[in-house]
Amino acid sequence: MAENLELNDEGIEQQALHVFTEKAYLDYSMYVILDRALPHIGDGLKPVQRRIIYAMSELGLSASSKHKKSARTVGDVLGKFHPHGDTACYEAMVLMAQDFSYRYPLIDGQGNFGSPDDPKSFAAMRYTESRLSAFSKLLLQELGQGTVDWVANFDGTMQEPSLLPARLPHILLNGTTGIAVGMATDLLPHNCREVAQACVRLLENSRTTLDQLLEQVKGPDYPTDAEIITPVEELRNLYETGRGSIRMRAVYEREEGDIIVTALPHQVSGARVLEQIAQQMLAKKLPMIDDLRDESDHENPTRLVIVPRSNRVDVDAIMGHLFATTDLEKTYRVNMNMIGTNGKPQVKNLKQILQEWIAFRISTVRRRFEWQLDKVNKRLHILEGLLIAYLNLDEVIRIIRSEDEPKPVLIKTFKISEIQADAILDTRLRHLAKLEEMKIQQEQQELSEEKQGLKKLLGSERRIKTLIKNEILEDAEAYGDDRRSPIVSRDAARALDETDLMPSETLTVVLSTRGWVRAAKGHDIDVKALNYKSGDAFQSLAQGKSNQSVVFIDSNGRSYTLAAHSLPSARSQGEPLTGRFKPAAGAEFISCLMGGNDDLFMLSSSHGYGFVCRFEDMLTRNKNGKALISISKGASMMPASAINDKENGVVVSITSEGYIGLLDINAIPQLSKGKGNKIQGIPPRRLKSGEESISFIACLSGSQKLVVHAGKKYKSMTLRELEEYRIERGKRGRKLPRGYQNVSAVKVVD
């Protein structure tokens, strides 16, 4: 940006503020992305993790050594390689030691390194001790063999590796998360043996497809026994795009009536789960749960006990609710963003990751063998010089004894290099024996054979791939294990709605003519004995349970829904439905209904049209109601009637002129809404003039009787007696006997 700098009169450099801030922000962003937050595809480590592992190896903290104070390691990391905060550095170190956070921990910790309930509850670094785990050998084993580039540390006084020569694709094994500037990463942990098999398959055939790789890599493998319930299609899409999500669900079993949770999703706290359940219990949202206990210990790291209130409780429904409302089921974001071998961050799919890592591994192995070949060549060069010395031993000894500076004389006399001359001069007298000459010749022969083998290996891509394949299989067998997180197919969790969570008590809902509603416990309620407001009276009742819904139907044929448990007590006069709903002006509430979703009801109008409707089809959350039955001009809504027997029940209708008709319920269509079909016919001119209309319509079945009142007289008729009034749907019907044609009231009695 030198071209943007200007000198003022005092010789001070000046730069436009927008130019400076843009450059400073971009520099900071790139630093955070490349040197802080994102892992490299080669070794799967962030810089701080790489520096911790390398510093511990320099301290001699191998898996077979004694543990040392963590503060010692952190001090070395900060002082030599990573000039940042000690807290952040120690937290990164602790994370690599937690077997519940890392699938294959890189550090073996001794002391309090946190717990699954509280991963950040670890002790201070002055109390804990650590060393490298056996698994970290896969990152360090080839470090001193010319396999990686070395760069200067932050103050230029030391060298540190730019990468570690990972022998397995560690980027996929432990996973990691990180937040940079404008980008983030969320990588999944996987099973070592599965990833190794996928690498081998890709090494054997570079045209291996993603689907073939997924035959080996079934999915992520977390350090927990909880189930992965993400559908296979979503898993494939995740590995194809590099983005997606993973759902994990806790594992539970039944034990003497109790529910025992034995495994939790990754990084989920058992204490937090119990707290979430307890909060719902305090809010009376889980009446079916009686008690909670945490019985986790060293033998059972996860053992959460949920005690149902009784053996009749549906355990699967309870757990489905808890999966949907607590951390017993958790979703993890996946964003496979990493720094590639080209030094640029990119979201990669599974095949790209494996292909790029294999290319990195081939390059690493090639560098290892080139380093070995160079080492062999250097030794052979020295051995050639030593053999020259042995063949001319007397002359060599003379030159050394007689010359003040024998080195240049040796070089000139025997035409050897400076390195060979140094080796001859460094040879001790005891090594001048004939036996040593034979040893040199033998070593020279062995090294020549090794040199030929290395050249042959470096000259064949196929040989290198075969070697890498064998190394991968050996390492996977030595350090891998069986899958921990099973991948299973499960139905989506569903939270129980408010009605499912309410206690189930018998209830009678009472509706008055003015639209006031209330609810009384029990079904033996004398509705006439209830206290009504002046000018008000009983209109309709519905019997059901407190955890059910109540449907109200108004004179315009619209339905409305309320939860039964939300209704006021029958000890009061109730409350108006207009306070809960927004019916049209002039509309009156005619019926209230309760039942199961599949229960059937007869809906009809005073013009003789009607249909059968399921209770579920009447439900709505809309305060303005739901259009249910179409009412013709001049017609009115009839009270709804419950259908107890769809197969053998009948519909009885009576007009205001005393015409009665009976037909089977099966003749009436079942609809979710509409006008319906004509049940009983009335001459159109009489309907239009309002001279005649349907005054009663109801469903009967079994032993029920129809009681027709005409003033003080009444007539009771059984279903058998009503058979003489059977009609075809839409017909006029027959008149009731003389004296009963002026119908004043009709009742259905059991």
Side-chain angles (χ1 to χ4, degrees), residues 716-732:
S716 177
M717 292 177 284
T718 64
L719 288 179
R720 179 175 293 181
E721 293 171 333
L722 286 169
E723 278 295 325
E724 62 177 297
Y725 299 105
R726 181 174 288 277
I727 61 172
E728 292 182 16
R729 186 179 58 77
K731 297 299 182 181
R732 182 84 161 113

Side-chain angles (χ1 to χ4, degrees), residues 15 34 39 41 71 75 272 316 348 350 357 363 368 388 393 422 451 456 541 550 565 632 638 656-657 663 680 731-732:
Q15 191 176 41
L34 299 178
I41 194 171
R272 173 61 180 157
D316 292 336
K348 303 179 187 293
L350 178 63
W357 181 84
S363 172
R368 186 179 89 198
I388 291 173
L393 190 56
D422 286 335
K451 178 180 178 180
K456 187 181 292 185
L541 68 80
V550 188
H565 67 83
S632 304
M638 301 295 293
S656 57
E657 295 295 319
L663 66 158
Q680 185 177 2
K731 297 299 182 181
R732 182 84 161 113

